[in-house]
Amino acid sequence: MNSVVRDLALACVTVATLAGCTTNKGRCCKMSECGKSKASVTVSPFGKTKTGLEVKQFHLVGAGGVAMDVIDYGARVVRLWTPDRDGKLADITLGFNQVSGYEDIDLYFGSTIGRFGNRIRDGKFTLDGVTYTIPCNNDPGGIPCTLHGGTSGFNDRVWDSRTLTNGDDVGVEFTMTSPDGDQGYPGKLDVKVTYWLTAKNVWRLEYEAKTDKATPVNLTNHVYFNFHGEGNGTILDHELTLFADYMTPVNAGLIPTGDLAPVKGTPFDFTSPWKIGDRVNTKDNEQIKFGGGYDHNWVLRNQSGKLAAAAALYEKTSGRYMEVWTEEPGIQFYCGNFLTDSVPSKSGGHLTFRGGLALETQHYPDSPNKSSFPSVILRPGQLYKTATEYRFSTR
Ligand code: GAL
């Protein structure tokens, strides 16, 4: 067997194994030729937190061939395998093989973010006449703010969990109670995040929350993608489309000014596909300078609260293509400007500057301090409910 044929055969066995394909018998194939596969979800130990809490891992195998590992620490994705156009699987998300990686290196890899995704100015907001102070844990440009919930966000909790199956779809439901006063936020918040992996290779995230006092809520997931496979170079050659005509410009502290700026004629125009690397270092652009590249919120065209396309990402050599669909009004595109080669990769090497990108569906940063932005306030008796889908395929 020549090496190409052998590699393809091996890739196919891996695809078949992960996908639970029983008819393939190692024969070289594409996903579509694998015949009937069976979805499954299995549980195993992932390790312990520094405080001794057991962390569980869930291995989800979708009937369409995509597979993922998620853990209850941070209700996060640890690994996500998708096939390239030849059916060869790669883990396309950044993460760590041990709990300590997540505890020691605070990059939010794959995690559920709450109570409030992205930044809140000065760690303060006023709600119904009361000013609340929440911890400042970040200071871009030397300007302190609260990032991703505070010093101990939802990424830092061990969630309750149960496995789910619904026909060919498999999932995990994560639940957690954030007590009144958690990180300074008002109200006891009951949160549910459900991950589904469908037979059509869709990773669907459903979020729900209820509160007993008015409080800001803005939940998202901070998965980082690299379609070459994690630890395998940068994302600068990935082609990105964003279904957005405006973005929310920021100050030097990465806090929105409150304006909505048209993207047309700027490096922020992704209304048609652009390679990320083409304009990421534009010299004379203040927004690029503040972000150290792309690290901004785009105002999605769809403001209806119904599921609609927000972004598309394509990488030519692997053929991997992904669409992001969401009910949220915004998306944070962050191109890994804080990643360095001091961060280990799961496969034994190391990451690199811009070695992954995040597409975080959300309400706009600092919304609690911006009355012109869509409201993020959840009140008693209301149900916070939103969904996002990452749809994987090849081209
Ligand atoms: C992003 C944020 C970035 C950075 C990153 C985590 O959501 O926009 O500025 O903080 O999270 O490293």
Side-chain angles (χ1 to χ4, degrees):
M1 209 188 301
N2 75 37
S3 67
V4 173
V5 172
R6 192 190 54 228
D7 285 352
L8 280 172
L10 269 174
C12 191
V13 172
T14 317
V15 169
T17 309
L18 280 164
C21 174
T22 50
T23 58
N24 166 275
K25 302 261 191 294
R27 181 173 52 84
C28 194
C29 70
K30 287 193 168 189
M31 286 307 301
S32 54
E33 295 163 353
C34 270
K36 278 216 168 79
S37 59
K38 205 171 165 324
S40 64
V41 47
T42 46
V43 191
S44 59
F46 187 76
K48 282 188 182 172
T49 65
K50 289 189 198 306
T51 57
L53 297 174
E54 308 265 357
V55 175
K56 285 203 281 283
Q57 171 171 283
F58 303 85
H59 181 58
L60 306 177
V61 178
V66 168
M68 63 198 295
D69 285 336
V70 303
I71 58 172
D72 54 8
Y73 177 63
R76 77 178 80 219
V77 57
V78 171
R79 305 177 192 93
L80 174 72
W81 296 271
T82 70
D84 66 10
R85 69 162 78 79
D86 297 317
K88 185 170 177 184
L89 287 175
D91 174 7
I92 59 162
T93 61
L94 309 193
F96 300 110
N97 294 318
Q98 292 89 16
V99 187
S100 58
Y102 296 105
E103 292 180 302
D104 297 341
I105 305 177
D106 205 4
L107 291 163
Y108 305 96
F109 283 167
S111 61
T112 297
I113 302 288
R115 203 176 278 203
F116 191 90
N118 214 278
R119 295 187 169 81
I120 295 183
R121 185 185 64 202
D122 301 333
K124 283 195 190 337
F125 61 91
T126 300
L127 175 56
D128 296 338
V130 180
T131 298
Y132 295 91
T133 302
I134 52 177
C136 287
N137 59 337
N138 191 237
D139 60 349
I143 305 170
C145 66
T146 303
L147 175 68
H148 296 328
T151 40
S152 171
F154 292 178
N155 56 299
D156 189 29
R157 314 289 165 91
V158 177
W159 296 55
D160 291 327
S161 55
R162 66 180 181 118
T163 58
L164 304 168
T165 48
N166 181 15
D168 263 351
D169 300 343
V170 284
V172 184
E173 178 191 275
F174 293 109
T175 48
M176 202 243 331
T177 297
S178 165
D180 187 9
D182 187 5
Q183 301 292 292
Y185 297 93
K188 172 167 92 76
L189 191 75
D190 291 309
V191 191
K192 180 157 91 180
V193 180
T194 309
Y195 281 26
W196 285 108
L197 183 57
T198 80
K200 291 196 167 150
N201 289 336
V202 176
W203 169 28
R204 177 175 166 88
L205 297 107
E206 297 170 348
Y207 301 88
E208 281 186 22
K210 280 183 186 166
T211 186
D212 62 2
K213 284 183 197 155
T215 188
V217 185
N218 188 23
L219 305 179
T220 189
N221 187 286
H222 207 307
V223 58
Y224 289 70
F225 295 104
N226 183 330
F227 285 178
H228 295 295
E230 69 92 35
N232 198 2
T234 77
I235 46 70
L236 294 173
D237 58 354
H238 290 36
E239 292 169 32
L240 177 68
T241 309
L242 294 171
F243 299 96
D245 301 305
Y246 295 85
M247 48 82 80
T248 51
V250 290
N251 65 19
L254 299 184
I255 301 292
T257 60
D259 295 334
L260 306 186
V263 295
K264 203 173 162 81
T266 77
F268 293 82
D269 187 351
F270 284 93
T271 52
S272 56
W274 275 86
K275 272 198 189 137
I276 291 162
D278 282 352
R279 300 168 299 171
V280 70
N281 294 321
T282 305
K283 284 279 176 283
D284 54 355
N285 186 287
E286 188 178 56
Q287 288 300 310
I288 290 278
K289 191 170 133 223
F290 287 159
Y294 296 112
D295 189 359
H296 297 80
N297 171 69
W298 271 253
V299 176
L300 294 171
R301 276 182 199 147
N302 173 49
Q303 298 284 313
S304 70
K306 303 234 166 66
L307 195 69
L313 189 67
Y314 177 62
E315 193 282 305
K316 205 166 61 189
T317 54
S318 66
R320 288 195 173 87
Y321 176 75
M322 174 183 79
E323 288 182 3
V324 185
W325 287 60
T326 189
E327 297 175 5
E328 288 297 297
I331 195 165
Q332 185 83 11
F333 163 43
Y334 165 61
C335 70
N337 307 310
F338 294 116
L339 293 173
T340 67
D341 60 12
S342 68
V343 183
S345 81
K346 285 172 281 187
S347 43
H350 58 84
L351 300 184
T352 185
F353 179 54
R354 296 180 179 153
L357 68 91
L359 290 164
E360 303 152 70
T361 57
Q362 59 181 11
H363 273 57
Y364 314 158
D366 201 34
S367 292
N369 293 310
K370 300 279 183 319
S371 55
S372 59
F373 286 177
S375 174
V376 288
I377 305 304
L378 182 71
R379 294 187 179 275
Q382 295 180 333
L383 176 66
Y384 174 97
K385 198 172 186 314
T386 185
T388 289
E389 293 184 353
Y390 295 97
R391 302 180 176 184
F392 302 103
S393 58
T394 55
R395 290 201 158 172

